[in-house]
Amino acid sequence: MIETLHSTAAEAQARLAEVADLDALAQLDVEFLGKKSALTLAKRQLGSLAPEQRRTAGQALNQIRAEVEGAVGAARERLARAALSERLEAERLDLTEFRGTARRGSLHLVTQARDRLEDVFVGMGFSVAEGPEVESAWYNFEALNIPEWHPARGSFDTIFVNLGAPEEVMLRSHTSPVQIRTMEKQQPPIYIVAPGRTFRTDTADATHLPAFNQIEGLVVDRGITMGDLAGTIDEFVRTFFGGDVKSRLRPSYFPFTEPSAEFDISRADGTWLELGGCGMVHPNVLRNCGIDPDEWQGFAFGFGIDRLAVMRHELDDIRELVNNDVRFLRQF
Ligand code: FA5
């Protein structure tokens, strides 16, 4: 009996080595290992043998079964590998036809402006800082000398987040909170710029977007004056735009600077475009961050990066930046 089974196992192995698909494999599995297979029937007959014979035959049977099972497993693995490479081959994308006609992507105008701004300010000795887009009332307002009752809060058209106490958490309405976060962590001298996204309930029009970008600048050192502020803005405008564009400061009001100004840059047609606000850091703001205003003075500025991109590329409408029309974006 064992002899016959050895030759059955050899036959099984030969056929399993050749099997070409999973259905055929399942059939061979039943034929050689199933309930009606020679191996299973032989096992049932073991009971009729004398104990000594039963032991030897049992061992031989187990060994033969293990061999056939091993061959089934190997065949299954071989078929799975073949199926996988067949699928990979079938799903392979032939990209060669795009060669030559493909266009390289490019950075968005606002990203280009932001990168260039960082380069210009790093070249002037500033480092780049960042802050979160979701802020608390402390960072967005209070530490900046804008208490809850202050009318200036209204001018920021804030988008609040429904978290915590009412009007306690918001999408930052300007990048000025990064001033506070920086001064909290670092003692002067401080020379940083902080570019990032800002949000207001503004309706989109030719010069406004509800989600836009600002860059904040903050300098705190000994003996800093309004002259340093004006010189820095002038130097930045010259480096960023080249020789023709001029800047001017106009008196203005921000609770976190005193005195405060707005700065404009000159357009080709002789008119001025408001770019941002600036001023000498208010002593209360320094105090809120644990910095002694008798020892240290500072200036800060904040302006719109999207407006800068509009100006630089002479666009008619700031909304062009977010329409995602590739015919427009491709030009840059
Ligand atoms: C501020 O946001 C102050 N934090 C600026 C500042 C910083 C003053 C440091 C003093 C010291 P203001 O709300 O004016 O100020 O906004 C500054 C600039 O952001 C604007 O001049 C404009 O360039 C840009 N800006 C404001 N709102 C929008 C908008 N909806 N879409 C596009 N740009 C905007």
Side-chain angles (χ1 to χ4, degrees):
M1 176 181 78
I2 299 296
E3 279 306 301
T4 330
L5 287 176
H6 271 305
S7 65
T8 315
E11 184 201 336
Q13 284 183 341
R15 285 173 60 194
L16 284 164
E18 307 254 285
V19 69
D21 61 66
L22 286 170
D23 285 344
L25 174 62
Q27 274 171 23
L28 289 181
D29 195 357
V30 172
E31 182 179 337
F32 290 107
L33 296 169
K35 275 190 211 146
K36 292 184 187 149
S37 65
L39 267 173
T40 310
L41 294 178
K43 195 171 178 194
R44 275 196 214 128
Q45 287 165 16
L46 285 180
S48 58
L49 297 177
E52 189 51 31
Q53 276 179 316
R54 195 189 304 158
R55 213 163 62 91
T56 343
Q59 278 171 356
L61 264 182
N62 282 344
Q63 194 201 333
I64 293 169
R65 178 169 271 276
E67 280 168 19
V68 177
E69 281 173 350
V72 168
R76 185 166 290 126
E77 221 173 273
R78 173 171 58 80
L79 290 176
R81 261 201 312 273
L84 178 66
S85 49
E86 200 174 301
R87 212 181 90 203
L88 290 179
E89 186 60 31
E91 291 178 359
R92 190 164 72 175
L93 291 177
D94 181 4
L95 299 174
T96 47
E97 65 180 288
F98 292 109
R99 214 183 283 150
T101 57
R103 260 189 60 91
R104 264 197 178 194
S106 57
L107 293 175
H108 190 273
L109 282 187
V110 173
T111 312
Q112 290 181 25
R114 177 179 163 159
D115 286 353
R116 208 171 127 68
L117 281 168
E118 286 183 13
D119 287 350
V120 170
F121 281 110
V122 167
M124 290 165 69
F126 287 71
S127 44
V128 178
E130 278 190 332
E133 291 176 358
V134 178
E135 271 297 8
S136 66
W138 168 257
Y139 288 104
N140 200 68
F141 292 128
E142 262 126 64
L144 288 163
N145 203 31
I146 318 175
E148 210 175 335
W149 49 263
H150 202 289
R153 279 210 188 187
S155 72
F156 282 102
D157 300 318
T158 311
I159 298 173
F160 292 98
V161 174
N162 195 6
L163 259 181
E167 308 204 346
E168 183 50 43
V169 181
M170 62 214 66
L171 300 183
R172 66 176 173 193
S173 49
H174 50 175
T175 42
S176 299
V178 189
Q179 291 186 32
I180 307 299
R181 290 187 176 273
T182 305
M183 287 189 279
E184 269 181 359
K185 283 199 300 260
Q186 187 188 335
Q187 278 297 307
I190 294 172
Y191 290 78
I192 58 113
V193 285
R197 292 210 295 167
T198 45
F199 308 85
R200 292 185 195 176
T201 55
D202 291 346
T203 307
D205 64 22
T207 53
H208 292 85
L209 292 172
F212 56 104
N213 296 269
Q214 286 189 340
I215 184 165
E216 193 79 9
L218 173 70
V219 167
V220 185
D221 207 337
R222 290 197 170 88
I224 296 289
T225 67
M226 197 83 182
D228 297 308
L229 168 60
T232 303
I233 288 179
D234 212 45
E235 171 70 16
F236 147 71
V237 169
R238 235 201 316 254
T239 318
F240 192 83
F241 291 103
D244 302 341
V245 178
K246 293 190 208 31
S247 65
R248 71 171 184 192
L249 295 184
R250 274 181 295 115
S252 182
Y253 173 76
F254 295 99
F256 33 95
T257 44
E258 178 58 37
S260 303
E262 257 161 335
F263 62 95
D264 305 333
I265 51 177
S266 64
R267 280 199 270 228
D269 63 3
T271 60
W272 296 89
L273 178 78
E274 179 208 300
L275 201 58
C278 59
M280 301 304 291
V281 180
H282 197 291
N284 287 351
V285 175
L286 293 172
R287 266 186 225 112
N288 285 339
C289 302
I291 294 177
D292 179 359
D294 292 329
E295 191 181 351
W296 305 98
Q297 298 75 45
F299 68 76
F301 56 82
F303 56 84
I305 302 182
D306 313 74
R307 291 227 183 136
L308 203 75
V310 165
M311 172 76 189
R312 186 138 194 263
H313 298 284
E314 295 174 12
L315 310 179
D316 298 329
D317 193 317
I318 200 169
R319 286 170 291 191
E320 298 269 31
L321 295 174
V322 291
N323 285 342
N324 281 339
D325 183 337
V326 285
R327 290 165 303 177
F328 167 78
L329 292 172
R330 260 188 197 156
Q331 300 170 55
F332 303 98

